[in-house]
Tab-separated table of all heavy atoms in Angstrom:
chain	number	residue	atom	x	y	z
A	26	PRO	N	-49.273	-44.653	-57.279
A	26	PRO	CA	-48.018	-44.045	-57.097
A	26	PRO	C	-47.311	-43.497	-58.348
A	26	PRO	O	-47.434	-44.126	-59.438
A	26	PRO	CB	-47.133	-45.292	-56.482
A	26	PRO	CG	-48.187	-46.221	-55.995
A	26	PRO	CD	-49.427	-46.065	-56.888
A	27	ILE	N	-46.565	-42.451	-58.229
A	27	ILE	CA	-45.835	-41.815	-59.263
A	27	ILE	C	-44.554	-42.500	-59.464
A	27	ILE	O	-43.683	-42.644	-58.518
A	27	ILE	CB	-45.723	-40.306	-59.122
A	27	ILE	CG1	-46.961	-39.651	-59.023
A	27	ILE	CG2	-44.792	-39.786	-60.246
A	27	ILE	CD1	-46.846	-38.087	-58.675
A	28	SER	N	-44.238	-43.047	-60.657
A	28	SER	CA	-43.112	-43.859	-60.888
A	28	SER	C	-41.960	-42.857	-61.066
A	28	SER	O	-42.089	-41.678	-61.402
A	28	SER	CB	-43.247	-44.745	-62.134
A	28	SER	OG	-43.368	-43.958	-63.283
A	29	SER	N	-40.714	-43.430	-60.970
A	29	SER	CA	-39.481	-42.642	-61.244
A	29	SER	C	-39.414	-42.076	-62.635
A	29	SER	O	-38.995	-40.974	-62.912
A	29	SER	CB	-38.252	-43.433	-60.962
A	29	SER	OG	-38.199	-43.923	-59.617
A	30	LYS	N	-39.931	-42.966	-63.604
A	30	LYS	CA	-39.957	-42.516	-65.033
A	30	LYS	C	-40.871	-41.363	-65.209
A	30	LYS	O	-40.543	-40.408	-65.922
A	30	LYS	CB	-40.405	-43.772	-65.863
A	30	LYS	CG	-40.503	-43.454	-67.351
A	30	LYS	CD	-40.924	-44.678	-68.139
A	30	LYS	CE	-41.080	-44.333	-69.607
A	30	LYS	NZ	-41.566	-45.526	-70.369
A	31	GLU	N	-42.059	-41.426	-64.551
A	31	GLU	CA	-42.998	-40.360	-64.726
A	31	GLU	C	-42.323	-38.961	-64.145
A	31	GLU	O	-42.602	-37.884	-64.633
A	31	GLU	CB	-44.275	-40.664	-63.951
A	31	GLU	CG	-45.383	-39.599	-64.137
A	31	GLU	CD	-46.681	-39.986	-63.507
A	31	GLU	OE1	-46.723	-41.073	-62.876
A	31	GLU	OE2	-47.603	-39.222	-63.537
A	32	VAL	N	-41.646	-39.083	-63.024
A	32	VAL	CA	-41.094	-37.882	-62.417
A	32	VAL	C	-40.024	-37.383	-63.416
A	32	VAL	O	-40.050	-36.139	-63.700
A	32	VAL	CB	-40.340	-38.315	-61.092
A	32	VAL	CG1	-39.576	-37.098	-60.628
A	32	VAL	CG2	-41.437	-38.663	-60.066
A	33	ARG	N	-39.225	-38.182	-63.973
A	33	ARG	CA	-38.246	-37.718	-64.928
A	33	ARG	C	-38.824	-37.078	-66.202
A	33	ARG	O	-38.440	-35.995	-66.655
A	33	ARG	CB	-37.302	-38.899	-65.470
A	33	ARG	CG	-36.393	-39.418	-64.355
A	33	ARG	CD	-35.295	-40.340	-64.895
A	33	ARG	NE	-35.905	-41.543	-65.553
A	33	ARG	CZ	-36.074	-42.690	-64.923
A	33	ARG	NH1	-35.662	-42.729	-63.608
A	33	ARG	NH2	-36.590	-43.657	-65.520
A	34	GLN	N	-40.005	-37.656	-66.728
A	34	GLN	CA	-40.630	-37.124	-67.874
A	34	GLN	C	-41.250	-35.818	-67.493
A	34	GLN	O	-41.235	-34.808	-68.296
A	34	GLN	CB	-41.697	-38.108	-68.299
A	34	GLN	CG	-41.307	-39.307	-68.921
A	34	GLN	CD	-42.317	-40.343	-69.247
A	34	GLN	OE1	-43.476	-40.214	-68.658
A	34	GLN	NE2	-42.055	-41.281	-70.199
A	35	SER	N	-41.781	-35.629	-66.277
A	35	SER	CA	-42.417	-34.359	-65.853
A	35	SER	C	-41.312	-33.272	-65.898
A	35	SER	O	-41.459	-32.193	-66.241
A	35	SER	CB	-42.997	-34.508	-64.440
A	35	SER	OG	-43.535	-33.325	-64.004
A	36	ILE	N	-40.186	-33.589	-65.227
A	36	ILE	CA	-39.119	-32.642	-65.180
A	36	ILE	C	-38.582	-32.264	-66.550
A	36	ILE	O	-38.358	-31.008	-66.779
A	36	ILE	CB	-37.938	-33.267	-64.344
A	36	ILE	CG1	-38.347	-33.364	-62.881
A	36	ILE	CG2	-36.693	-32.317	-64.426
A	36	ILE	CD1	-37.393	-34.079	-61.995
A	37	ALA	N	-38.508	-33.205	-67.370
A	37	ALA	CA	-37.967	-32.940	-68.748
A	37	ALA	C	-38.937	-32.098	-69.508
A	37	ALA	O	-38.568	-31.092	-70.236
A	37	ALA	CB	-37.741	-34.209	-69.536
Side-chain angles (χ1 to χ4, degrees):
I27 297 175
S28 66
S29 299
K30 179 180 178 180
E31 186 178 357
V32 172
R33 290 195 297 270
Q34 289 174 340
S35 176
I36 292 173

